[in-house]
Each structure stands twice: as structure tokens, then as C-alpha cells.
Amino acid sequence: MSDPLITGQRDNALGQPVGLPLADTSPRPVPPRTDMVGRYCSVVPLSVEHADDLYHAFRADTEDRIWTYLPNGPYHDTANFGAWVEEAASRDDPLMHAIVVEGRAVGHASYLRIAPASSSIEVGFINLSPALQRTRAATEFQFLMMQRAFDELGYRRYEWKCDALNAPSRHAAERLGFTYEGTFRQATHYKGRNRDTAWFSILDKEWPKLRMRFETWLSTDNFDTVGTQKRSLQTL
């Protein structure tokens, strides 16, 4: 039975199906600790200087909904949150970034499970404050991180994983152009509960069309005078 998710095959000399040959199997570079700058936001390496802005941006969610599907948090004092930021900023994987809008850090995201040898990289550990949710910057930071992975570093596979019960995260992955690949049952556990993990991906061959879609959506021409989108990302 053929599998629509298989990316192609050929027969070897023994008549066995094998994967398509690759012209370049060299390791890809590790993401640099440098800024990614867009029209509506910047994605910059996380540092302790971002802790105060992030803490107050996250506390705007008084119900702590943004922490439900993250392994850490919520934080209700600046000391504990500052200690987490300091520790997170020191890691190489996950490689944490702050999402900065108009000079304020209002969210964070990371590259993780960075695998240069297999040319695979994941985006995750995403937390968007109420000030960032449903804004152009919330889409642009995703575009900037994809652009670095594919265009700058040459990765072949870009992954998204989330708790299979996290409907907003699953919807976001699909909106951004990821393909659902399946659910890993009892993949891990956190906060004292089981987690089945839903897997999504974008491949390098899919990126050129997705990049055009993002660029069209992010254009100022796609928004009216009050900032409402004219065409959705999925429509494009």
C-alpha cells in the first residue's frame, strides 16, 4: 500500500524500494545567536534583559491559560520567572528567542531538537502574551524563523510538535502550512499528566510556495486602514 507521506522512492539493483538520492548530505549549520528582523517584530536571542517585559506581558493573562500546555510555569513572581529566563537563555538547545514588538518583549519561541547531521530542526517552546496573540507580528515571527531555517541555514525538515489535546496549537500549525504526520501515544508526560504528541512538518521543497504565501499575507496591501486582513493566510 502506498503512503502519501513518503517523499519519493526508486528501486535499487535488488528491486527494493529505497529513498531518492540526495545531492547534498553535508551537516547544516547550527542557528546563530543573531537577530531576525521583520516589518512588525524582531526575533532576538533571549537574555535576562527581557525578563521584566516578558513577565508583565504574560501576567496580562490572569487565568494562566497560556501556560497549560508548556512544561514550565505559570509564574506569579518576578524572581522565579527571572531565574527561569536566565537558565533558558544559557541553553543551546532549546535555543530560546524573545519576540520583540515596538521595543518590548511580548513572547518567546525557540529552535529545538536541532539536528544538523539530518538537516532537521523544530520550532517550539512558544508562548505568546495577550498583546501578541492574533497580531501580524504573531505570524511574522513564525515566518522569520522558517526563513532562517530554510533560506539561511538550508535545513530540509522543519518540525512542530504539540500536546495532541492542544487544539489552538494544532490549528496554528495547519494555518502556517505544516502537514500533520501522526500522533505519538504516551510520548511523554509533564505537570503530572500524560501527553500524546501530535507531529507536523514542513519540507524544504514546500517552502518556496509557503514563503510566497507569507510574503503576500504580511504585505501592508493585505490589510485595510483599521488593520483587518483582506485575505487569510489559508486562503492564499
Side-chain angles (χ1 to χ4, degrees):
M1 182 180 297
S2 63
D3 185 338
L5 290 182
I6 292 178
T7 56
Q9 66 182 58
R10 61 192 173 98
D11 288 345
N12 66 10
L14 301 174
Q16 299 166 310
V18 296
L20 297 177
L22 298 176
D24 181 7
T25 58
S26 60
R28 301 314 192 238
V30 172
R33 290 181 179 269
T34 57
D35 296 357
M36 294 169 267
V37 180
R39 181 183 288 116
Y40 308 112
C41 71
S42 296
V43 185
V44 306
L46 183 69
S47 75
V48 293
E49 284 74 24
H50 298 124
D52 190 59
D53 281 348
L54 283 174
Y55 177 78
H56 289 97
F58 291 154
R59 288 303 298 141
D61 171 24
T62 56
E63 295 181 318
D64 292 329
R65 286 177 175 268
I66 59 177
W67 298 101
T68 299
Y69 299 107
L70 288 173
N72 63 315
Y75 298 94
H76 297 154
D77 66 85
T78 55
N80 283 337
F81 183 70
W84 175 81
V85 169
E86 183 175 12
E87 192 274 332
S90 69
R91 301 180 196 152
D92 294 322
D93 189 346
L95 180 57
M96 296 292 296
H97 291 75
I99 304 159
V100 178
V101 177
E102 296 180 350
R104 273 183 66 232
V106 288
H108 64 61
S110 75
Y111 292 121
L112 67 159
R113 300 184 187 274
I114 304 165
S118 57
S119 307
S120 176
I121 193 168
E122 181 181 339
V123 64
F125 228 120
I126 298 168
N127 199 355
L128 309 185
S129 71
L132 182 55
Q133 295 168 15
R134 299 182 180 276
T135 66
R136 280 177 263 187
T139 296
E140 186 179 53
F141 93 83
Q142 296 277 9
F143 168 67
L144 293 172
M145 294 186 74
M146 291 181 196
Q147 190 174 46
R148 167 157 288 180
F150 287 119
D151 292 338
E152 182 180 336
L153 303 177
Y155 279 77
R156 301 178 62 238
R157 175 178 170 85
Y158 192 75
E159 296 181 335
W160 177 296
K161 302 185 184 82
C162 65
D163 190 313
L165 298 176
N166 187 350
S169 183
R170 296 180 68 136
H171 174 74
E174 291 166 355
R175 172 182 175 269
L176 293 167
F178 286 83
T179 295
Y180 171 67
E181 295 181 329
T183 296
F184 283 50
R185 300 176 300 166
Q186 295 189 17
T188 187
H189 57 85
Y190 66 133
K191 294 184 174 176
R193 62 181 189 258
N194 176 64
R195 173 173 142 162
D196 297 344
T197 297
W199 287 50
F200 300 81
S201 71
I202 295 172
L203 304 183
D204 54 354
K205 66 180 181 179
E206 298 162 345
W207 171 241
K209 285 186 178 181
L210 284 175
R211 179 177 57 214
M212 291 177 61
R213 183 193 300 178
F214 278 106
E215 289 172 344
T216 301
W217 189 87
L218 290 165
S219 168
T220 55
D221 294 336
N222 190 44
F223 297 88
D224 62 22
T225 54
V226 295
T228 302
Q229 66 178 4
K230 296 177 183 177
R231 299 180 67 189
S232 71
L233 191 61
Q234 287 174 299
T235 299
L236 288 167

